[in-house]
Amino acid sequence: MGEASVKTLETRTDVSSHPVTGHEEAGPASDGALLARLRSPRRPRIWFEVLLIAVSYWTYSLIRNAVPEQKAAALANADWIWSAERALGIAVEQSVNHSVNSVTWLIVGMNYYYATLHFVVTIGVLVWIYRFHPGRYAATRLVLFATTGVALVGYYFYPLAPPRLMNGQDFIDTVLVHHTWGSMASGNLKHMSNQYAAMPSMHIGWSLWCGLTIFAVASAPWARILGLLYPTATLVVIVATANHFWLDAVGGMLCLAFGYTVSRAWFGSLPHRLPRHPGLAGPHPVTALVHRYRARARS
């Protein structure tokens, strides 16, 4: 995806305001201007973004894995989910798991898909938006961060075992059976990750974020189609590998809806409707605020 494969949705006027200098007096009006500037699209800085993403993911992993592994509650919740899906007539996870597992090359490919694309595609979309749509980057990133943040609430309050860990349901842990690497909750890596944090599915939350971002911004039909196919394929993979129920995917979608709500409330628009390139808005608001109070301290 490059500059030729994107469309310019200039549906919102660039928001700009005069630079804040160190001689301006602090007050209600200037505080309101500061908030408006903080909410305005700005050109991201690569060093800050790399640091922010690294620290945020480390914090997310730390909190997720620090959630108590409530095995009994997680297994009981899994039994309830499975019973609810059977009552609704959508409990096909076991059939999909066994059918795909019978085709070795397919299930091995899905194991590696599950382990790698979750990170590779997400980072790729972030880099693409950063490079070619800097005015939309902050809002798009906020959707992802808010989605991931609210997922932690689900992990804490609703421990859930994945289908492959259920008792007496004959699901197949495809990573163990085919000796492929990748799942942080299987094999030798299972002690490094909370195994009972299946609800909501961030494989769905992140992949759908990627797909909708690509679909909303890309102009090439093939790119938009691939954008929609990616979360669809991810849904099949998480079920076939017995890592999630269908309803875990619904949880991921609800988290993503929350993420878009937060981003729209802060920026006043959905990410793809913001200007592709940010306007010139002077120094960063936080930097301007520091300079302002330094100037007042000297006077």
Side-chain angles (χ1 to χ4, degrees):
M1 289 177 287
E3 198 137 16
S5 67
V6 295
K7 61 184 178 181
T8 56
L9 298 177
E10 305 297 348
T11 56
R12 170 173 166 166
T13 305
D14 286 358
V15 179
S16 61
S17 59
H18 69 282
V20 179
T21 67
H23 302 289
E24 293 185 20
E25 292 297 326
S30 60
D31 291 342
L34 175 63
L35 180 60
R37 284 163 58 77
L38 283 170
R39 298 172 67 178
S40 300
R42 305 185 65 85
R43 183 171 295 277
R45 300 178 181 180
I46 183 64
W47 66 267
F48 176 78
E49 295 303 325
V50 171
L51 180 62
L52 178 63
I53 291 172
V55 171
S56 298
Y57 184 73
W58 175 81
T59 304
Y60 163 77
S61 299
L62 184 67
I63 296 174
R64 180 181 185 273
N65 295 334
V67 173
E69 291 194 2
Q70 304 175 55
K71 182 176 180 179
L75 290 172
N77 288 336
D79 289 336
W80 186 91
I81 290 283
W82 186 236
S83 297
E85 288 192 351
R86 290 165 65 181
L88 293 171
I90 59 172
V92 298
E93 289 92 334
Q94 192 175 85
S95 298
V96 173
N97 175 234
H98 283 254
S99 297
V100 177
N101 184 71
S102 65
V103 184
T104 302
W105 65 266
L106 180 58
I107 193 60
V108 169
M110 286 188 174
N111 285 340
Y112 288 126
Y113 179 115
Y114 184 87
T116 60
L117 293 192
H118 180 52
F119 302 101
V120 172
V121 177
T122 303
I123 293 173
V125 172
L126 276 173
V127 171
W128 174 53
I129 295 296
Y130 174 91
R131 175 65 179 84
F132 296 107
H133 298 264
R136 298 164 181 156
Y137 175 83
T140 304
R141 181 197 63 202
L142 180 57
V143 174
L144 183 64
F145 277 34
T147 298
T148 306
V150 76
L152 292 172
V153 178
Y155 299 148
Y156 187 87
F157 288 103
Y158 195 78
L160 180 67
R164 58 185 175 75
L165 292 182
M166 292 180 69
N167 295 322
Q169 297 300 335
D170 196 29
F171 281 96
I172 301 170
D173 188 331
T174 59
V175 170
L176 287 179
V177 169
H178 297 280
H179 306 289
T180 52
W181 59 266
S183 174
M184 290 294 291
S186 294
N188 294 328
L189 298 178
K190 64 183 179 181
H191 299 297
M192 297 174 61
S193 178
N194 184 357
Q195 297 188 79
Y196 304 110
M199 172 67 85
S201 169
M202 280 299 94
H203 271 76
I204 291 300
W206 287 15
S207 66
L208 189 57
W209 172 86
C210 292
L212 292 178
T213 299
I214 295 170
F215 181 80
V217 176
S219 60
W222 62 267
R224 301 182 76 191
I225 292 172
L226 285 179
L228 295 181
L229 287 177
Y230 175 53
T232 304
T234 301
L235 179 59
V236 175
V237 167
I238 67 173
V239 171
T241 56
N243 279 293
H244 288 283
F245 296 99
W246 294 117
L247 291 182
D248 298 346
V250 175
M253 294 175 190
L254 292 176
C255 288
L256 182 64
F258 173 83
Y260 274 109
T261 300
V262 170
S263 181
R264 191 182 189 284
W266 180 254
F267 288 98
S269 178
L270 291 173
H272 71 277
R273 295 187 178 278
L274 292 170
R276 179 177 177 181
H277 296 285
L280 297 176
H284 193 278
V286 176
T287 303
L289 184 64
V290 171
H291 289 165
R292 177 196 303 169
Y293 284 100
R294 280 182 177 177
R296 292 187 63 189
R298 294 192 189 102
S299 62

